[in-house]
Amino acid sequence: MADPFKPRAPFAPWDRRQLPGMFDVEETARRVGNYKWAEMKLFEALGGWIATVPELDVKMRLGTHCYHHAWHAELWHKRLPELREMNPDRLTVPANDAMVEFVAALTEPEAPETTIEKLVGVYRVFIPHFISAYTFHMNNTSEITDAPTIRTLKLALQDEFDDWRDGEMMLQSLIETPEEVDRAAAHHAKLEKLMLAAGGIAGPGSIGNLPAVKGN
Amino acid sequence: MRKFFPVDSLARDSRFNQITMSQSQADPRSPLMASDTEKRPKANRLQPSRPDASDAARSLMHGIFVGEIQALEGAGRTCHDFETGTEAPFALKLDMARQAWDEARHVEISVKLSEWMGSEIGQYAENTVLFEAACSTDPVLRLAGVNRALEGLAIDVFTTMKDFGGIAGDPYLEFCEDWMLADEVTHVKMGSDWLRRITENDPERRKKALEFQSVVDKIFSFGGTRSDSQESPIGLARRFRELAGFTDAEVEDIADVSLRALEERKEFTRQAQADAVEQFSAS
């Protein structure tokens, strides 16, 4: 049996976590507040749309996904006080005005014939931007000091990927004609331009800024 | 997308046929519409011994299915219709999102159970009265109407259906109803807790909400479809209602309202039949 009193390294050879991270506490709290605001807008939109879509399978999926995003909002809400923000509402804000404009355009479709537009907004624009912002955050924050945020990001990302897959499959099954392909693409382009103006879920820098390379 | 969605705009595919409460109550196939007191069965409780048990169970299951769709839609609308903080607490909206997921599962379960019982989507009409209770512009009234009255009814219905599954030797039905019943008790408790919390310092609002609940309870008694009487197909699940946060006095109130609704329905039927006879004699 191994000697229990033999000194061991505090980090095992397979544990390669690093201390440095890109975000300080304040910047992390700002991003988390933006995430919470965006997740709230998403779960409210999904909930509201349930009554407006005639397709039974879509109706049920929206109900399921509504809860996923509400839960993410709750996780971010609980994280904020741990990041020295004792009034979580103060940081529960959109990244900028363009983000507000994006959400207004996202939630505009209501008619029962616009399920494609509703799903394109959520599953081809909003959720992919959550995935990219969360992935960037997870890969760039301190793996040791900010482990609680990483845990939440991982839990949320699992849902985001699963929901994106559900949504994309629903869309592919709903789009039956070239005209519907055009409709989906037009709405996608409209919303993607608004998201471009917003700079992502947490504003410019949501997925970092690419460093300039010499010679370019 | 607008706030507050009207019941006549609920989106459905072509299989669904929506009807109003009065159309539903006037359906001559209802056992409570029997031509006279003598012919009306003394016991309508859903049991396998009833000659029409299979069809009655299928009809009830379809009613559960469309009710779950409307409950899903109602919970979703509460997430959307009220501003967080100023109109509804964040935690309340989180509860409603959770309920939307639960109701979505209930739709899935009831679709599969309907298929298991041999019926199809759209085989029976959809009464949209349930969503109407979810249209209040006050979230507290909505919780009283939906979570306490409607979900309370769901407790009664699921208990009846679970018992039916047990007596009929259908473990599949009994198993599923038991799970749905657990969720419904949670939803009613959510409603009870929020009602008390939000109106803690606003007795007038609480009174208004409880009055609204009483009205909805009476409507949801479906003219006597749910009561302690054996004449009602659905019983009152007293024990599960207590688990869900109803006080003894509240359960007694619902029992009284339900019995009154049964008697009013019988009187309405008697009067309608007397009028019809009179009109026929005069022609």
Side-chain angles (χ1 to χ4, degrees):
Chain A
M1 186 179 162
D3 175 5
F5 300 105
K6 181 183 166 190
R8 286 170 64 91
F11 291 89
W14 56 85
D15 184 351
R16 305 300 301 270
R17 287 176 298 144
Q18 297 293 311
L19 200 52
M22 186 178 273
F23 315 116
D24 60 15
V25 174
E26 195 178 341
E27 172 62 7
T28 303
R30 184 194 69 77
R31 285 178 182 255
V32 166
N34 291 162
Y35 299 159
K36 182 192 159 195
W37 184 88
E39 292 279 15
M40 281 174 66
K41 292 298 159 192
L42 179 51
F43 95 73
E44 290 169 1
L46 291 168
W49 272 331
I50 295 168
T52 73
V53 295
E55 298 88 351
L56 187 57
D57 59 325
V58 178
K59 205 182 268 293
M60 292 189 288
R61 293 331 294 161
L62 295 187
T64 304
H65 293 183
C66 171
Y67 175 64
H68 292 171
H69 299 287
W71 184 59
H72 301 166
E74 184 183 16
L75 292 174
W76 292 132
H77 177 79
K78 287 177 176 168
R79 182 71 181 130
L80 281 169
E82 298 164 359
L83 296 165
R84 289 200 300 262
E85 180 48 70
M86 296 309 158
N87 175 11
D89 291 342
R90 197 181 70 81
L91 287 186
T92 307
V93 290
N96 46 47
D97 291 345
M99 194 64 195
V100 177
E101 207 180 325
F102 167 79
V103 169
L106 171 91
T107 55
E108 200 177 77
E110 182 188 282
E113 301 82 14
T114 58
T115 303
I116 287 175
E117 281 77 5
K118 293 165 191 166
L119 299 187
V120 162
V122 173
Y123 300 102
R124 287 192 176 166
V125 184
F126 212 5
I127 286 187
H129 278 275
F130 274 108
I131 290 173
S132 55
Y134 286 174
T135 302
F136 174 75
H137 196 148
M138 185 177 69
N139 290 347
N140 285 280
T141 196
S142 166
E143 293 170 285
I144 295 172
T145 62
D146 199 19
T149 300
I150 291 178
R151 177 168 164 75
T152 297
L153 286 164
K154 281 182 176 170
L155 292 169
L157 270 169
Q158 184 63 57
D159 284 340
E160 304 290 351
F161 279 117
D162 288 345
D163 294 358
W164 166 77
R165 181 172 47 230
D166 270 352
E168 181 56 31
M169 292 186 81
M170 287 190 288
L171 267 168
Q172 289 182 21
S173 71
L174 286 169
I175 295 172
E176 294 179 329
T177 66
E179 291 73 29
E180 285 168 345
V181 172
D182 290 342
R183 256 177 63 193
H187 195 63
H188 187 166
K190 176 187 162 185
L191 292 178
E192 194 64 55
K193 285 173 189 167
L194 292 169
M195 185 59 95
L196 179 68
I201 302 289
S206 286
I207 57 165
N209 299 306
L210 281 179
V213 176
K214 267 186 186 172
N216 282 351
Chain B
M1 178 172 33
R2 79 190 109 166
K3 301 275 185 188
F4 307 113
F5 200 66
V7 66
D8 57 9
S9 296
L10 287 176
R12 294 285 182 275
D13 69 36
S14 59
R15 289 170 293 186
F16 291 81
N17 294 294
Q18 295 177 334
I19 57 167
T20 63
M21 191 63 166
S22 52
Q23 286 172 318
S24 169
Q25 291 210 344
D27 187 339
R29 291 169 295 182
S30 162
L32 292 169
M33 291 292 279
S35 58
D36 56 45
T37 312
E38 287 69 39
K39 286 183 186 169
R40 186 184 301 118
K42 293 291 178 229
N44 290 315
R45 190 59 49 86
L46 182 59
Q47 288 183 342
S49 54
R50 257 175 68 171
D52 65 339
S54 297
D55 199 47
R58 279 195 284 265
S59 168
L60 182 56
M61 181 49 70
H62 196 277
I64 292 171
F65 161 63
V66 293
E68 296 296 354
I69 294 177
Q70 290 171 42
L72 163 61
E73 293 169 326
R77 290 308 300 189
T78 302
C79 294
H80 174 265
D81 288 346
F82 304 106
E83 286 302 316
T84 306
T86 53
E87 295 176 335
F90 177 55
L92 183 152
K93 291 176 73 165
L94 295 179
D95 276 352
M96 290 300 106
R98 169 60 199 229
Q99 190 170 326
W101 180 30
D102 296 346
E103 306 297 4
R105 288 198 316 281
H106 294 182
V107 178
E108 292 172 337
I109 294 165
S110 50
V111 165
K112 285 191 180 288
L113 281 177
S114 290
E115 199 176 316
W116 166 252
M117 294 166 80
S119 57
E120 292 173 4
I121 292 172
Q123 188 170 330
Y124 302 89
E126 177 186 8
N127 184 334
T128 53
V129 69
L130 307 184
F131 187 79
E132 283 178 53
C135 291
S136 172
T137 52
D138 182 343
V140 174
L141 262 64
R142 204 179 275 199
L143 282 165
V146 175
N147 282 64
R148 284 173 54 87
L150 161 60
E151 302 286 316
L153 170 68
I155 286 179
D156 301 330
V157 171
F158 291 153
T159 303
T160 299
M161 208 56 163
K162 178 174 174 279
D163 292 347
F164 179 83
I167 299 166
D170 184 343
Y172 190 57
L173 179 63
E174 191 182 9
F175 172 86
C176 292
E177 296 296 334
D178 193 39
W179 275 104
M180 291 204 282
L181 185 54
D183 290 337
E184 299 301 358
V185 170
T186 306
H187 299 164
V188 176
K189 192 160 186 324
M190 272 180 198
S192 301
D193 291 348
W194 278 115
L195 177 68
R196 283 175 195 132
R197 209 185 306 180
I198 293 180
T199 63
E200 199 174 4
N201 299 312
D202 191 345
E204 197 52 40
R205 197 177 178 194
R206 179 178 291 186
K207 188 170 163 244
K208 211 169 143 191
L210 290 173
E211 281 169 2
F212 180 66
Q213 184 196 325
S214 180
V215 170
V216 177
D217 261 326
K218 191 169 177 183
I219 295 170
F220 287 153
S221 291
F222 287 134
T225 302
R226 178 272 313 272
S227 82
D228 274 335
S229 166
Q230 284 295 314
E231 279 189 82
S232 298
I234 299 159
L236 193 62
R238 288 168 175 268
R239 191 172 76 82
F240 288 116
R241 279 179 172 272
E242 282 160 19
L243 281 177
F246 281 94
T247 64
D248 289 347
E250 285 174 331
V251 174
E252 287 308 324
D253 279 349
I254 294 165
D256 288 346
V257 163
S258 305
L259 274 177
R260 276 205 304 278
L262 176 67
E263 291 308 318
E264 283 170 16
R265 171 77 179 279
K266 282 155 68 174
E267 180 52 36
F268 168 81
T269 308
R270 271 193 292 273
Q271 190 59 50
Q273 284 160 350
D275 291 348
V277 169
E278 197 174 310
Q279 279 177 7
F280 182 75
S281 307
S283 64

